[in-house]
Amino acid sequence: MALDQSFVGRTYPPTAPYEVGREKIREFAEAVGDANPAYTDRDAAAALGHADVIAPPTFVFAITFKAAREVVQDPQLGLDYSRVVHGDQKFAYRRPVRAGDRLTVTSTIEAIKSMAGNDILDVRGEVHDEAGEHVVTAWTKLVARAAEEA
Amino acid sequence: MAAKIAYADVEVGTELPPASFPVDRATLVRYAGASGDFNPIHWNEKFAVEVGLPDVIAHGMFTMAEAIRVVTDWLGDPGAVVEYGVRFTKPVVVPNDDKGAVVEVSGKVAALLDDQRVRVDLTATCAGQKVLGMARAVVQLA
């Protein structure tokens, strides 16, 4: 069943702040095998002009995706979340995420489409820091695959 | 920002040093923990097969994280990445053997933009198949 188009343009309230920790950044950098010292060494980060260690570019997805999940699990939307796969992901950075940031995400449903029985949902997450400054925008395309015929 | 590559030193077609990124089941468990994405298709073979996958697959976001390393290693400063986007076209299948899988990533400068920025187009393959589509980053050069 096609999703309700009236959800297009709907913006959800900002999430509670997520505090970015140095050790969480280190853990993420180690998990992707990235030894860039900007992620773990404050002096190295400072030499590049950053106020503290910064996070790898895709780190912020953990925060925006959690926010997007709350949106797509809105029972009124009626998306079958068990059939959702990640289609596209894009980020536009105003500045890198860094340790000490307290980030909130404001999610908006940008588009809803149905193609060949698949429901396709575009969610934009605007990430702001505690001072209200924009840090990064994340665009996530989620595809709920058509249910197979029984 | 302090990219170590100067705008004046690149042209359309400039190739970035390519890299290979191995991934095995332990890598995926570690990434699941670090990212908070515990979807069982990334660590539970029985579950993955039941939902129609050939085997456990890597998180798309893991592959996206590896691909941008070709850019951030080249730049020196990961903070010089201005935009980054990908399409997840094919899964990276990670067998439970002593080899796992390898994601091969290459990149080249595709366009010179204003403000000393360039667009880098990335190619990511695994077992000879493209696993990311439209993989592009805009970066701020010195």
Side-chain angles (χ1 to χ4, degrees), chain A residues 32-33 36 50 87 89 91 93, chain B residues 66 69 77 82 84-86 88:
Chain A
V32 298
N36 193 314
H50 303 298
Q89 182 61 41
F91 302 100
Y93 307 90
Chain B
E66 298 300 346
R69 286 178 57 193
D77 181 7
V82 177
Y84 178 36
V86 306
F88 301 105

Side-chain angles (χ1 to χ4, degrees), chain A residues 95-149:
Chain A
R95 66 161 173 85
V97 167
R98 58 180 175 249
D101 274 337
R102 287 170 59 81
L103 302 176
T104 58
V105 185
T106 307
S107 299
T108 300
I109 295 179
E110 283 203 324
I112 296 174
K113 287 181 196 124
S114 289
M115 279 172 70
N118 298 325
D119 290 320
I120 303 167
L121 200 69
D122 289 303
V123 181
R124 185 182 80 241
E126 297 286 359
V127 180
H128 291 87
D129 65 16
E130 206 167 20
E133 301 291 330
H134 176 243
V135 178
V136 50
T137 302
W139 289 270
T140 302
K141 187 184 289 291
L142 297 171
V143 181
R145 291 168 299 148
E148 282 132 28
E149 297 295 322

Side-chain angles (χ1 to χ4, degrees), chain B residues 38-86:
Chain B
F38 295 101
N39 188 329
I41 61 173
H42 305 305
W43 50 268
N44 183 333
E45 195 167 315
K46 180 169 168 283
F47 184 92
V49 170
E50 273 171 13
V51 298
L53 295 166
D55 204 333
V56 161
I57 61 167
H59 306 70
M61 289 306 299
F62 172 83
T63 308
M64 187 176 184
E66 298 300 346
I68 197 66
R69 286 178 57 193
V70 163
V71 178
T72 55
D73 285 352
W74 180 65
L75 291 171
D77 181 7
V81 177
V82 177
E83 280 180 32
Y84 178 36
V86 306

